Amino acid sequence: MKKETTYAEILESRGVNRRDFLKFCSLMSVYLGYSSTFIPTFVRAMETKPRIPVIWLHGLECTCCTESFIRSSHPITADIILNMISLDYDETLSAAAGDQLEAVRKQIIKDYKGKYILAVEGNAPTKDDGVYCMINGESFTNVLKETAADAMAVIAWGSCASFGCVQNAKPNPTGATPVHKIIKDKTVVNVPGCPPIAEVMTGVITHLLTFGKLPELDRLKRPKAFYGTRIHDKCYRRPYFDAGMFVESFDDASANKGWCLYKMGCKGPTTFNSCPTVKWNGGTSYPIQAGHPCLGCSEPGFWDNGPFYTRLADVSFLGTNSNADKIGMVAVGAAAAGMAAHAVGTAIKKNKKQKSETANTEEG
Amino acid sequence: MGQLIEEQYVWRLPVRLYHWINAFCITLLFITGLYIASPVLSPSIGEAVWYHKMAWFRYVHFGTAFVFLANFIFRLYWALFGDDKYGRFAGFKPWSPIWWGKPFKEQLKSYLFIKQEEPNYSGHNPVAALTHFLFVFCGSLFMILTGLAMYGENNPGGLTDSLFGWTVLIFGSSQSMHTMHHVVAWVFPVYLILHLYAVVRHDIVERSSITSSIITGYKHKVEECPEYTD
Ligand code: HEM
Ligand code: HEM
Ligand code: SF4
Ligand code: SF4
């Protein structure tokens, strides 16, 4: 077993200076919603806690989460985190491959039983014995189960691992299944987004490293610090929404003026994420700021709640692609037709009855 | 022609009040709800923050929703504990096979023209009670639960969200919940058509003054007098 080094030691050996280290600690405590009095806690934890190994698994996915992560906007953040967590096993970033890399994974599981973090990117296709994602001859489902069994914490990176994303959109040909539906005996932290914002990813992992426990989670097991409010409630275009000033096509005057994108299918009112506050690419912008409606990429089933550019979602109804209003109008039409037919029936019945009664009186 | 033989006081004031408050709220909720889903572009006259077209529709929707909810709870109380023979829903026992027996079948057969006779009930007939239950009770409950869950979303962890936010787990996502709230909204216009048709039809067939009964409270029993028919 390797000698346990602390984060501070590692950072020092990698040439991160004290000033950058403190900056990083303040940034993380702010992102995670702690007051400045907590900064020393972060610093102390980093200085004293032994480094935690991380196994980073890749299932059925597009690697966009890794792409996002390694482009963490503040270079020191990415640097520090990547050095810190050491990524003992990562199919995308590791130099080793095949048997060699698998041996590393098995070794970590053995050496750090119950002490390593499992980060999962992508999900597990469960149909046909999992043949749609094989790792060194083993199905990803099995690799996932084996690695999760002794992990101290399991993080599901991105919408794929958290909720399924495009792989398990209807009709889900490979039976793609999000991590929390496979690992049931442990809390799986969901960090959804397609991809998640880099700072959100570093924030979650820093919390785990410094406090040694999971951050506070919401109902869908997302860290509250980053997924606590809707895009819509923090969107700078909200006054236009309330006023009813909407963009109606991408090239109209309202679009130029930057009005609300609700009628362009904006899913901001139903999406929990940090885009309007943390933003993307080093706080440069986020989709709505660039004039594009939110797709709801961090919400469960967002591919099946399309189309992206209309407010009303498509609903399949009796084999057709319909929406709530079309279904409703068909139902109202059917009810009206049914009642009209029934009225005719009643009239005929009444006529018959009257005739037979008249006949009866005449006889009697 | 018929002859009036009896006047019955069927719908007491609480039931009539409930009925009209309910009808009013549902109409308003439906209109404002559809507007929320498909608002019209309305550029402001002045600052955007002074102008509240969309916000106003949502405000009316939510305000009405709470009146609707209070009214719903009141009717539930009255159905369970009210001292009201016709308004009590006491006989409504869909869990018991007996309830689905003769009275229900006869009423259904009559509606389906399989049977000649038209059973005449002072209160709700069993088929009507079932439709009220399915459309109005279940429909309202669904709208209330999903509505409150959506209402709480602006403040996760707040009171409304803590009480009703779990509803989202049934639908998977907030967006699917919006969609289902919208689909089920259409239950009410469908019900209204069936309901108005049934009321008017009973009135014509039985001449029981059922239409005005929900305003006045009185229904009439009418006996056919064959000698007057031409
Ligand atoms: C959105 C609109 C409406 C809804 C949801 C609705 C719902 C109901 C419900 C739930 C009842 C059962 C009463 C109870 O025991 O509480 C009822 C009864 C009744 N309603 Fe309505 N109603 C609506 C509109 C109307 C309108 C416009 C009329 C106009 C004539 C009407 C006439 C009646 C009558 C006559 C009854 C008594 C029927 C019986 O014997 O069951 N309703 N309605
Ligand atoms: C008869 C009852 C009701 C009807 C017909 C109705 C109808 C609707 C419709 C059609 C929508 C638009 C959904 C969409 O496509 O986004 C909506 C939204 C909504 N309704 Fe209702 N509703 C009813 C009751 C309620 C109740 C009891 C509440 C409780 C507070 C409620 C709260 C909401 C909320 C919060 C929204 C979302 C508004 C937004 O996204 O801006 N509704 N309703
Ligand atoms: S652009 Fe989207 S998130 Fe922003 S106010 Fe409009 S609907 Fe809400
Ligand atoms: S604005 Fe919406 S779709 Fe875009 S990244 Fe954020 S959550 Fe995803």
Side-chain angles (χ1 to χ4, degrees):
Chain A
M1 194 166 156
K2 286 178 270 178
K3 178 193 167 291
E4 287 186 341
T5 36
T6 68
Y7 296 118
E9 278 164 10
I10 291 174
L11 293 174
E12 220 180 279
S13 73
R14 308 270 167 123
V16 175
N17 64 31
R18 183 80 185 160
R19 190 183 159 79
D20 283 345
F21 173 64
L22 291 180
K23 260 195 202 161
F24 166 78
C25 291
S26 345
L27 199 66
M28 282 302 132
S29 66
V30 169
Y31 276 149
L32 288 164
Y34 288 96
S35 76
S36 53
T37 49
F38 264 90
I39 298 173
T41 315
F42 276 83
V43 176
R44 213 169 308 125
M46 292 270 161
E47 282 173 344
T48 52
K49 292 230 169 115
R51 192 200 59 162
I52 303 174
V54 176
I55 297 182
W56 190 301
L57 290 182
H58 294 259
L60 209 59
E61 54 127 358
C62 74
T63 336
C64 82
C65 301
T66 298
E67 293 291 341
S68 173
F69 187 68
I70 60 177
R71 276 163 189 72
S72 238
S73 58
H74 304 270
I76 51 159
T77 319
D79 221 40
I80 290 177
I81 287 277
L82 279 176
N83 286 329
M84 218 164 66
I85 60 179
S86 79
L87 288 177
D88 292 309
Y89 175 98
D90 185 318
E91 291 120 334
T92 308
L93 300 179
S94 302
D99 290 337
Q100 223 182 343
L101 191 56
E102 285 310 297
V104 173
R105 182 173 64 85
K106 297 218 157 95
Q107 196 61 40
I108 301 168
I109 297 178
K110 222 173 100 207
D111 289 351
Y112 293 90
K113 209 176 167 84
K115 285 191 209 145
Y116 62 92
I117 294 174
L118 170 61
V120 190
E121 192 175 333
N123 54 32
T126 50
K127 257 193 208 150
D128 303 323
D129 295 326
V131 293
Y132 303 110
C133 186
M134 304 292 285
I135 289 165
N136 202 30
E138 183 73 81
S139 80
F140 179 68
T141 318
N142 288 345
V143 173
L144 176 61
K145 281 185 184 157
E146 185 192 17
T147 321
D150 292 315
M152 152 194 151
V154 184
I155 307 176
W157 281 150
S159 290
C160 306
S162 304
F163 304 130
C165 208
V166 72
Q167 302 90 302
N168 85 346
K170 280 175 204 132
N172 191 1
T174 62
T177 310
V179 176
H180 69 92
K181 290 207 176 136
I182 290 179
I183 309 303
K184 292 201 171 128
D185 55 341
K186 280 198 168 81
T187 307
V188 176
V189 183
N190 288 331
V191 186
C194 191
I197 307 173
E199 284 68 28
V200 171
M201 301 175 78
T202 44
V204 171
I205 212 155
T206 309
H207 188 285
L208 257 172
L209 298 176
T210 44
F211 295 108
K213 61 170 196 218
L214 303 179
E216 216 187 322
L217 304 178
D218 71 2
R219 208 173 270 119
L220 294 174
K221 306 285 179 243
R222 301 171 294 201
K224 281 185 182 168
F226 298 109
Y227 298 91
T229 46
R230 295 181 296 189
I231 304 276
H232 190 54
D233 292 318
K234 294 174 295 190
C235 178
Y236 75 103
R237 299 194 183 202
R238 182 63 183 267
Y240 294 126
F241 171 85
D242 285 339
M245 296 157 80
F246 301 110
V247 175
E248 291 191 306
S249 99
F250 282 122
D251 52 7
D252 67 6
S254 318
N256 259 335
K257 291 173 195 152
W259 292 356
C260 169
L261 294 157
Y262 186 74
K263 293 187 83 174
M264 298 308 294
C266 185
K267 304 293 186 292
T270 50
T271 303
F272 292 79
N273 206 341
S274 301
C275 303
T277 45
V278 177
K279 300 196 181 173
W280 290 82
N281 302 320
T284 311
S285 181
Y286 73 110
I288 292 167
Q289 194 174 340
H292 193 278
C294 169
L295 305 180
C297 79
S298 55
E299 285 291 305
F302 77 101
W303 291 97
D304 292 329
N305 280 327
F308 288 152
Y309 300 108
T310 63
R311 170 70 201 151
L312 277 189
D314 276 353
V315 183
S316 73
F317 173 62
L318 303 178
T320 62
N321 241 13
S322 197
N323 68 30
D325 283 341
K326 284 190 202 151
I327 295 175
M329 281 184 235
V330 169
V332 166
M339 294 305 100
H342 198 273
V344 173
T346 309
I348 294 171
K349 178 172 161 185
K350 206 171 171 196
N351 245 341
K352 258 199 208 150
K353 199 171 158 199
Q354 232 160 37
K355 271 206 191 116
S356 68
E357 266 164 16
T358 326
N360 280 348
T361 26
E362 272 164 11
E363 268 168 34
Chain B
M1 262 296 155
Q3 193 182 13
L4 185 78
I5 54 165
E6 199 189 334
E7 192 175 58
Q8 280 179 316
Y9 189 46
V10 180
W11 307 122
R12 293 185 50 190
L13 188 62
V15 174
R16 285 178 280 150
L17 269 180
Y18 156 80
H19 181 269
W20 290 112
I21 292 174
N22 194 39
F24 175 77
C25 287
I26 287 175
T27 311
L28 213 54
L29 283 165
F30 187 72
I31 294 168
T32 51
L34 288 191
Y35 186 88
I36 291 170
S38 319
V40 289
L41 169 69
S42 47
S44 74
I45 321 152
E47 295 281 336
V49 286
W50 300 339
Y51 192 69
H52 288 121
K53 184 84 179 281
M54 181 71 174
W56 186 82
F57 271 92
R58 294 177 75 240
Y59 187 72
V60 172
H61 192 80
F62 307 151
T64 313
F66 285 103
V67 176
F68 172 73
L69 172 60
N71 197 44
F72 179 81
I73 294 172
F74 167 75
R75 186 66 183 85
L76 214 57
Y77 163 82
W78 193 254
L80 296 174
F81 309 108
D83 175 22
D84 185 335
K85 182 170 155 201
Y86 300 112
R88 275 205 65 172
F89 276 85
F92 184 62
K93 294 189 179 90
W95 55 88
S96 135
I98 300 167
W99 186 86
W100 295 93
K102 205 163 165 239
F104 180 82
K105 281 190 192 128
E106 290 199 337
Q107 182 64 54
L108 196 64
K109 276 186 187 154
S110 146
Y111 277 138
L112 294 176
F113 306 124
I114 297 168
K115 236 177 118 77
Q116 271 295 327
E117 295 89 67
E118 297 271 349
N120 197 346
Y121 287 83
S122 303
H124 302 296
N125 76 57
V127 175
L130 186 70
T131 350
H132 291 338
F133 174 75
L134 287 181
F135 284 76
V136 180
F137 180 80
C138 296
S140 301
L141 198 63
F142 184 92
M143 295 312 275
I144 289 167
L145 288 179
T146 52
L148 286 172
M150 292 190 283
Y151 189 69
E153 281 187 334
N154 70 344
N155 180 15
L159 182 68
T160 321
D161 181 65
S162 308
L163 292 175
F164 301 98
W166 53 267
T167 315
V168 76
L169 297 176
I170 302 171
F171 302 95
S173 72
S174 169
Q175 187 66 29
S176 321
M177 187 158 69
H178 271 75
T179 305
M180 287 323 288
H181 189 79
H182 198 133
V183 170
V184 176
W186 283 93
V187 156
F188 295 93
V190 169
Y191 171 80
L192 187 63
I193 291 175
L194 306 185
H195 179 56
L196 289 186
Y197 171 72
V199 167
V200 173
R201 180 181 177 277
H202 273 283
D203 215 347
I204 292 173
V205 172
E206 288 148 22
R207 279 176 265 175
S208 55
S209 335
I210 177 178
T211 314
S212 58
S213 75
I214 199 67
I215 301 172
T216 60
Y218 289 95
K219 274 194 190 178
H220 298 122
K221 266 220 166 95
V222 174
E223 192 180 50
E224 290 292 338
C225 303
E227 55 270 31
Y228 291 121
T229 44
D230 50 14

